[in-house]
Amino acid sequence: MSASVAVGLIGAGWIGRFHGESVALRIPGTRLVAVADPVPGAAASLIERVSPDARAYTDALALIADPNVEAVLISTPAPTHTDLVVAAAEAGKHVFCEKPMALTLADADRAIDACATNNVALQVGFNRRFAADFAAAHDVITSGGIGTPQLLRSLTRDPGITADVAARVKPWTIFNETLIHDFDALLWLNPGARVVEVFAQADALIHPQYKEQGYLDTSMVQLRFDNGALASAEANFQATYGYDVRGEVFGSGGMVSAGEVTRTAMRHYSSPGILADTPRVNIELFHDAYVAQLAHFADCIRSGAAPSVDGLDARNALEIALAAKESVETGLPVSLLSVRR
């Protein structure tokens, strides 16, 4: 394998384009050699901007079969992830997959097993772990800086969703694709602990007209860990003030927090009051974290090290998401033993 990792990108949508740009332009030692997207012209448009020598495909399997591709970066719609992970692994390609890696535990196991059997790296896109403030908070916790975690909190508030977009949101997206970040963060910030009980409530408060088709945009989830700690995870799709992602862990010896609502420390003081800029999109708030996670993936391929966030981490977060779905459906707390099968 060359010192420069040859990456093929599957999915040239919003986040896929950013990842492709990072591989081609932002991360030393990586090359974007191929892009696949079923939308005519989507792959070629990205290639033309960032990597003119790369190959364009409309068929993901054709990209996976390309002998010039050493690693595959999957940023397609969630239901396609598992099959693409398995196909890439069986072709001997290392895999970076956007969350969620799977939508069922059986599919999660299938993806994990395929990568293990074929001895390829598998990393999942939980970018919060690579954000400097969240990583620093994790280091404080693992070094004993707050004692034993007792109360944890994680929240995701997206900056807005229009009615036409809400109409296309798949059922349970708030758990499978939004709060799954918070579930992973809470597991990571309570090292070694497992969630044993989940109670979730959710509703469509922003666009209630789509609730009957399974759309949900507001949720609160309570978690109980096997080490006695309690946690909450909340999400809302319309924070009018900007993109808001934060975390907090209170322990027996102190507290640590991560996440900042404002873009910078600048404050504008004038007659209307105090004003501060806020980030409005994910690639602004987590720009450096998105790049860092892919740099880590490339480093793991070159060194042979295991990625720090893998398929098992994705499975652990997914089982919480599935329990949250069941809790909303039944109105009752759900033991994780009921979904660990």
Side-chain angles (χ1 to χ4, degrees), residues 88-314:
E90 291 178 345
K93 311 298 172 77
H94 300 287
V95 183
F96 180 98
C97 183
E98 266 298 344
K99 53 76 197 170
M101 182 186 68
L103 295 175
T104 68
L105 295 183
D107 273 352
D109 291 337
R110 189 159 59 91
I112 293 168
D113 291 346
C115 291
T117 298
N118 292 281
N119 195 31
V120 298
L122 171 60
Q123 184 175 332
V124 180
F126 289 124
N127 57 286
R128 246 165 256 195
R129 296 187 182 215
F130 295 88
D133 51 352
F134 278 85
H138 178 262
D139 290 345
V140 168
I141 294 166
T142 57
S143 68
I146 64 161
T148 302
Q150 296 174 341
L151 294 170
L152 300 89
R153 182 187 184 206
S154 183
L155 65 85
T156 300
R157 296 172 184 165
D158 291 342
I161 184 169
T162 61
D164 62 319
V165 172
R168 300 194 300 272
V169 171
K170 302 296 184 184
W172 307 114
T173 290
I174 198 165
F175 297 139
N176 296 336
E177 301 188 44
T178 301
L179 278 165
I180 201 161
H181 275 299
D182 299 87
F183 300 151
D184 176 70
L186 290 168
L187 288 166
W188 183 56
L189 295 172
N190 193 6
R194 296 291 302 274
V195 172
V196 294
E197 187 177 77
V198 176
F199 177 66
Q201 295 175 296
D203 208 337
L205 302 183
I206 303 165
H207 297 292
Q209 66 271 32
Y210 299 121
K211 183 176 180 179
E212 289 188 2
Q213 66 188 46
Y215 167 80
L216 298 167
D217 53 36
T218 305
S219 181
M220 175 70 75
V221 184
Q222 298 175 38
L223 310 176
R224 181 184 295 274
F225 286 87
D226 59 4
N227 67 349
L230 302 175
S232 65
E234 66 173 78
N236 183 279
F237 289 171
Q238 189 155 293
T240 58
Y241 54 85
Y243 195 40
D244 185 3
V245 173
R246 285 175 281 148
E248 179 183 288
V249 183
F250 173 88
S252 59
M255 188 269 286
V256 65
S257 63
E260 177 57 62
V261 177
T262 58
R263 182 187 286 118
T264 69
M266 186 278 289
R267 299 293 184 270
H268 175 199
Y269 297 80
S270 63
S271 55
I274 303 172
L275 300 177
D277 290 333
T278 58
R280 299 286 163 159
V281 293
N282 56 346
I283 60 174
E284 180 183 5
L285 180 63
F286 285 115
H287 180 284
D288 292 347
Y290 280 129
V291 176
Q293 67 179 355
L294 294 181
H296 174 73
F297 177 59
D299 287 343
C300 288
I301 293 172
R302 282 190 290 266
S303 68
S308 62
V309 51
D310 58 17
L312 181 58
D313 293 311

